[in-house]
Amino acid sequence: MRGQKAAITGIGAYIPDYILTNDELSNMMDTSDEWIMTRIGIKERHILKEEGEGTSFMGERAVNQLLEKTNTKPEEVDILICATVTPDHVFPATANIIADKVGIKNGFGFDVNAGCSGFLYALATGAKYVESGMYKKVIVVGADKMSSIVDYTDRTVAPIFGDGAGAVMLEPTDDNYGVMDIILESDGVGRHYLHQKAGGSVKPPSHESVDAREHYIYQEGQPVFKWAVSKMADVSVEMMKKHNLTSDDIRYLVPHQANMRIISATAKRMGLDPHKVMINIDRYGNTTAATLPLCMWDYEKSLKKGDNLILSTFGAGFTWGAIYVKWAYDPE
Ligand code: UT7
């Protein structure tokens, strides 16, 4: 049917039990709680310690919670899209593994890799499938086991990242709720500043690449920071202008949780008071594709039908974007 929108009708999430504190990190490397809190704003992050388990372990749990909360049978699901930079394997897609584990048998799935913007890109993709009228139940997962690619001898990267997974259900609605508008952008020049050097087709794994510690995140923090501050704010303000939204009209900014200073700069450019910004970076760190669904999961009880949300991200690629969502349900 024409004119339908894709509404978020539920959220599930999973956070691993193990908590890596700043104090524990300070015992592993030359850093301090004070430096990490001042420069990044992270107090602790959760780490998946289960032996032999990867991103799908967390995705499976997030999706099972989502299915339960939305009273959905796995066989009713049409599509499962998983945003991740830490797939269980290079192939097949982690989406297929999660779908198999939760019993989705009548749908299809694929992964999206857009760095920390992965969930936003996947949400945009899922929304378009729903709006087309062809699919009725689309699950969008954002999940990352960042601890699998963090070098815990590198103090410039290790404090930033954590593990986690979140999942939302998208369903068609005739009402004026759901995904209202999407702006996505990218610039491949950013690949130089944030990447994983080895393990892909350019540099397959070798003894040398392991010895050179090239299977970990490589990040030049300052250029990434500068791009993130300007692009996340630009695109969020652009979305407000496009829809004549003032700061009063916005219930929450849902920002990617990479650095508290980036979040604050974005909110300031949008004219938003801090109480209108979803923040959980202090507890989870940067969970890459999982940050946005984890925010909405944490704040779900304070969201009401009709609330205007601006989701905003920046990540590897570089990729960035904003999605304007009108929340579609009241808390239970
Ligand atoms: O989600 C994907 C997108 N990623 C991001 O958005 C990350 C963007 N970048 C950042 O958030 C920041 O650049 C960092 C948090 C990574 C670094 O913060 P910064 O304020 O840019 O610090 P810096 O790199 O300029 O380093 C300042 C100082 C340096 O020492 P010197 O050269 O001034 O003596 C670093 O060696 O801080 C030192 N430093 C640390 N000190 C204690 C770097 N890491 C640490 C640490 N503990 N963990």
Side-chain angles (χ1 to χ4, degrees):
M1 250 178 20
R2 292 172 70 100
Q4 282 192 322
K5 289 206 163 1
I8 295 176
T9 55
I11 321 178
Y14 177 81
I15 290 292
D17 295 332
Y18 188 84
I19 296 175
L20 176 59
T21 63
N22 288 349
D23 289 339
E24 188 179 348
L25 272 176
S26 306
N27 291 330
M28 297 157 68
M29 63 193 69
D30 183 15
T31 190
S32 65
D33 176 58
E34 205 257 326
W35 192 95
I36 300 170
M37 279 306 288
T38 318
R39 306 296 268 227
I40 320 177
I42 299 171
K43 196 80 191 160
E44 57 192 36
R45 64 294 287 144
H46 292 244
I47 302 294
L48 183 66
K49 288 277 192 184
E50 275 76 358
E51 194 66 34
E53 297 292 356
T55 294
S56 73
F57 178 90
M58 298 184 291
E60 173 194 357
R61 278 152 184 77
V63 171
N64 272 332
Q65 187 186 82
L66 175 70
L67 293 172
E68 201 185 307
K69 279 170 81 176
T70 56
N71 271 322
T72 308
K73 294 190 189 71
E75 53 272 25
E76 295 174 79
V77 176
D78 298 308
I79 310 176
L80 187 147
I81 307 173
C82 180
T84 187
V85 298
T86 52
D88 279 18
H89 309 281
V90 173
F91 70 90
T94 299
N96 304 139
I97 301 170
I98 296 171
D100 180 50
K101 286 180 169 179
V102 303
I104 294 172
K105 294 288 175 205
N106 302 324
F108 66 91
F110 57 91
D111 284 0
V112 166
N113 178 342
C116 293
S117 305
F119 180 80
L120 204 78
Y121 277 52
L123 185 67
T125 309
K128 292 299 162 191
Y129 276 117
V130 171
E131 287 169 19
S132 76
M134 281 180 75
Y135 302 98
K136 303 260 177 275
K137 288 187 191 291
V138 176
I139 291 178
V140 180
V141 181
D144 268 301
K145 183 184 170 184
M146 296 309 289
S147 61
S148 66
I149 54 169
V150 164
D151 181 350
Y152 286 100
T153 66
D154 180 355
R155 70 173 185 167
T156 69
V157 167
I160 300 173
F161 294 99
D163 302 339
V168 301
M169 181 73 76
L170 288 172
E171 295 181 78
T173 173
D174 292 323
D175 297 330
N176 200 31
Y177 298 106
V179 173
M180 309 297 286
D181 198 8
I182 298 163
I183 306 174
L184 301 179
E185 294 176 18
S186 66
D187 189 335
V189 75
R191 72 190 184 282
H192 301 297
Y193 307 111
L194 183 51
H195 58 262
Q196 185 178 318
K197 291 192 183 304
S201 56
V202 165
K203 202 180 237 195
S206 65
H207 288 294
E208 289 73 23
S209 67
V210 172
D211 290 344
R213 309 186 79 79
E214 290 177 339
H215 294 269
Y216 295 120
I217 297 161
Y218 170 84
Q219 175 169 262
E220 292 177 34
Q222 287 187 5
V224 179
F225 185 90
K226 280 182 195 149
W227 273 74
V229 162
S230 74
K231 294 301 184 187
M232 251 176 79
D234 285 352
V235 79
S236 306
V237 169
E238 185 185 339
M239 186 63 91
M240 287 174 77
K241 284 191 179 145
K242 207 173 154 192
H243 293 274
N244 292 318
L245 295 170
T246 68
S247 53
D248 289 341
D249 301 321
I250 294 171
R251 179 68 191 92
Y252 280 113
L253 164 67
V254 190
H256 174 51
Q257 310 281 308
N259 187 314
M260 198 52 222
R261 289 182 288 148
I262 300 172
I263 296 171
S264 301
T266 305
K268 197 171 168 204
R269 282 268 311 276
M270 296 169 76
L272 294 180
D273 290 339
H275 73 275
K276 289 191 166 193
V277 185
M278 291 191 186
I279 294 162
N280 56 21
I281 186 173
D282 51 325
R283 288 178 291 133
Y284 305 144
N286 181 350
T287 53
T288 300
T291 58
L292 298 191
L294 282 177
C295 276
M296 292 187 285
W297 182 68
D298 265 350
Y299 283 76
E300 187 183 15
K301 287 199 167 60
S302 62
L303 288 169
K304 294 197 187 65
K305 194 170 179 174
D307 280 349
N308 288 321
L309 310 182
I310 302 285
L311 283 55
S312 181
T313 60
F314 182 87
F318 292 138
T319 55
W320 64 95
I323 292 188
Y324 167 26
V325 169
K326 207 176 251 299
W327 198 247
Y329 61 96
D330 286 320
E332 289 205 344

